[in-house]
């Protein structure tokens, strides 16, 4: 698939899913970079897991990396559906959600050497975008399928990923 992306001059996003083998993942990308010496020019690696990005940057410092972030990931289900607050799980997870948010905004993106952040359309507002751009981070938004949200993101000059090919 990478050969086809390169042939068609497409940008490729490699989503690093697993959290258990960041070194192995980075070494696989290192092997790919030997097959494609210009890989870092047309491929971006993305992950919810900062240690994956850290490992990739350790082996391939020139690789474009994107930290994927979804706020309130522990206390919400799916598309920002709240877990009822009387649920003991939510009470336990709420402080961890806040800690994760602080880590994403002030620690992980620096330590991992990321070039960009990828976040859900639910948090794609101008102050959020300005926060990241002030830190020289590119901003991408995912799960954008509504016409109004696409128009809003275009007005902010923010690229997005969609499942819907219409405007």
């Amino acid at each position: 698939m990478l050969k086809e992306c390169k042939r068609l001059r497409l940008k490729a996003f490699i989503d690093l899913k697993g959290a258990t083998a960041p070194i192995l993942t980075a070494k696989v990308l290192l092997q790919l970079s030997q097959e494609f010496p210009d890989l870092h020019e047309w491929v971006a690696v993305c992950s919810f897991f900062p240690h994956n990005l850290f490992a990739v940057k350790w082996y391939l410092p020139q690789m474009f990396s994107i930290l994927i972030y979804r706020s309130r990931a522990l206390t919400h289900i799916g598309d920002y559906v709240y877990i009822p607050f009387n649920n003991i799980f939510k009470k336990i997870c709420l402080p961890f959600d806040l800690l994760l948010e602080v880590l994403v905004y002030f620690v992980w993106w620096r330590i991992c050497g990321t070039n960009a952040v990828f976040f859900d359309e639910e948090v794609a507002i101008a102050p959020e975008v300005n926060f990241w751009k002030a830190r020289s981070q590119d901003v991408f938004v995912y799960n954008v399928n509504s016409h109004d949200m696409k128009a809003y993101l275009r007005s902010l000059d923010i690229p997005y990923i969609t499942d819907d090919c219409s405007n």
Side-chain angles (χ1 to χ4, degrees), residues 36-66:
F36 302 100
D38 61 343
L39 186 72
H40 64 280
E41 295 175 10
W42 51 278
V43 169
V45 293
C46 323
S47 186
F48 279 103
F49 305 105
H51 60 289
N52 283 342
L53 298 176
F54 183 81
V56 167
K57 284 295 204 173
W58 184 269
Y59 285 93
L60 295 162
Q62 72 278 18
M63 183 62 72
F64 193 88
S65 63
I66 304 171

Side-chain angles (χ1 to χ4, degrees), residues 7-167:
R7 186 183 70 76
L8 295 171
R9 296 187 179 137
L10 297 174
K11 296 282 184 189
F13 291 87
I14 298 176
D15 189 3
L16 308 178
K17 295 284 188 188
T20 58
I23 303 299
L24 180 62
T25 302
K27 287 182 178 180
V28 168
L29 284 168
L30 185 60
Q31 289 173 349
L32 283 172
S33 72
Q34 291 167 353
E35 183 179 344
F36 302 100
D38 61 343
L39 186 72
H40 64 280
E41 295 175 10
W42 51 278
V43 169
V45 293
C46 323
S47 186
F48 279 103
F49 305 105
H51 60 289
N52 283 342
L53 298 176
F54 183 81
V56 167
K57 284 295 204 173
W58 184 269
Y59 285 93
L60 295 162
Q62 72 278 18
M63 183 62 72
F64 193 88
S65 63
I66 304 171
L67 179 61
I68 305 172
Y69 174 62
R70 182 177 180 137
S71 66
R72 300 176 300 275
L74 300 176
T75 55
H76 292 69
I77 302 170
D79 295 328
Y80 290 92
V81 175
Y82 294 96
I83 297 172
F85 194 68
N86 59 2
N87 184 313
I88 190 71
F89 178 77
K90 184 171 181 179
K91 289 177 185 175
I92 292 169
C93 289
L94 186 60
F96 292 106
D97 256 352
L98 296 173
L99 177 61
L100 284 173
E101 196 154 329
V102 168
L103 288 171
V104 165
Y105 281 80
F106 299 103
V107 179
W108 282 340
W109 70 272
R110 285 182 195 258
I111 291 173
C112 298
T114 60
N115 305 94
V117 291
F118 225 163
F119 50 79
D120 191 87
E121 69 175 341
E122 296 293 327
V123 292
I125 57 175
E128 181 81 14
V129 171
N130 293 337
F131 175 88
W132 290 108
K133 287 190 175 186
R135 286 149 181 81
S136 300
Q137 296 291 296
D138 291 331
V139 174
F140 298 90
V141 179
Y142 64 90
N143 291 348
V144 180
N145 292 315
S146 77
H147 174 73
D148 292 337
M149 181 55 93
K150 289 177 186 179
Y152 173 70
L153 292 172
R154 281 193 297 271
S155 75
L156 294 175
D157 197 28
I158 301 174
Y160 56 85
I161 291 181
T162 183
D163 298 326
D164 176 28
C165 294
S166 66
N167 285 336

